[in-house]
Amino acid sequence: MKAHRIGALLSIVIIVIFITTNSGVPNASVTTDDRRVTVLKSSYCWNEIWRQQCVDYISPSEQIKEKGVVPTVVAPQSKLQIKFNKKPTEEISISVWNNDNIGEIEFVDNTITAPKERGVYIYVVSSRWSKGSASYVFSIEVK
């Protein structure tokens, strides 16, 4: 009887650990010169054991504005490092918005380089995992 209880308790602990470590859309972080940049989770589609969910957010510039995100001030050509709490299974794509102009940028060794030109830039980082895809938004101001 005691062995059954221990076995049942161990099974519950394993299930809880599995669910808490394998659930949810991954988080992204961006740092520059040891400073954190505010990153917003944006549109995503994610499959869990118990549910499938797709969320579609407003445009990145509207999302930044609505959440009151102040762009992080950086020097021209600063390095910005992007990390995820779960490693993506496919290539990461990054686009940049500046005055409604959109372009793809190079991403090498989890790092991007800020532009030379002054201005406010909004970045959209997109990636895929085995359970789905997600995008993230952040903003910098080059001064």
Side-chain angles (χ1 to χ4, degrees):
M1 192 71 147
K2 189 176 182 180
H4 282 358
R5 288 184 182 162
I6 291 172
L9 181 61
L10 184 58
S11 295
I12 290 170
V13 169
I14 290 171
I15 290 169
V16 168
I17 290 171
F18 176 79
I19 289 172
T20 57
T21 58
N22 290 302
S23 63
V25 178
N27 293 318
S29 65
V30 177
T31 56
T32 182
D33 298 326
D34 295 325
R35 293 181 296 139
R36 282 195 168 274
V37 175
T38 300
V39 178
L40 302 176
K41 194 175 292 179
S42 195
S43 300
Y44 63 89
C45 281
W46 203 254
N47 299 309
E48 297 288 338
I49 293 170
W50 56 89
R51 71 177 173 175
Q52 296 178 348
Q53 183 178 27
C54 285
V55 175
D56 193 17
Y57 280 92
I58 54 181
S59 74
S61 58
E62 289 298 316
Q63 191 177 1
I64 292 282
K65 187 176 176 181
E66 180 181 278
K67 296 290 183 179
V69 173
V70 176
T72 301
V73 176
V74 300
Q77 296 192 305
S78 293
K79 301 296 181 193
L80 297 123
Q81 187 170 46
I82 301 170
K83 292 184 180 179
F84 296 95
N85 67 328
K86 295 177 187 174
K87 185 178 179 180
T89 56
E90 294 185 25
E91 188 173 310
I92 297 165
S93 68
I94 302 175
S95 58
V96 61
W97 296 41
N98 178 281
N99 298 326
D100 295 326
N101 294 321
I102 303 170
E104 293 289 318
I105 61 166
E106 191 174 332
F107 181 67
V108 179
D109 295 327
N110 296 334
T111 303
I112 61 174
T113 303
K116 293 178 193 177
E117 298 80 22
R118 293 177 183 264
V120 175
Y121 298 85
I122 297 173
Y123 290 84
V124 179
V125 180
S126 301
S127 195
R128 298 187 65 74
W129 292 263
S130 61
K131 293 185 178 185
S133 62
S135 59
Y136 307 84
V137 176
F138 68 93
S139 181
I140 63 169
E141 182 175 0
V142 177
K143 281 191 172 183

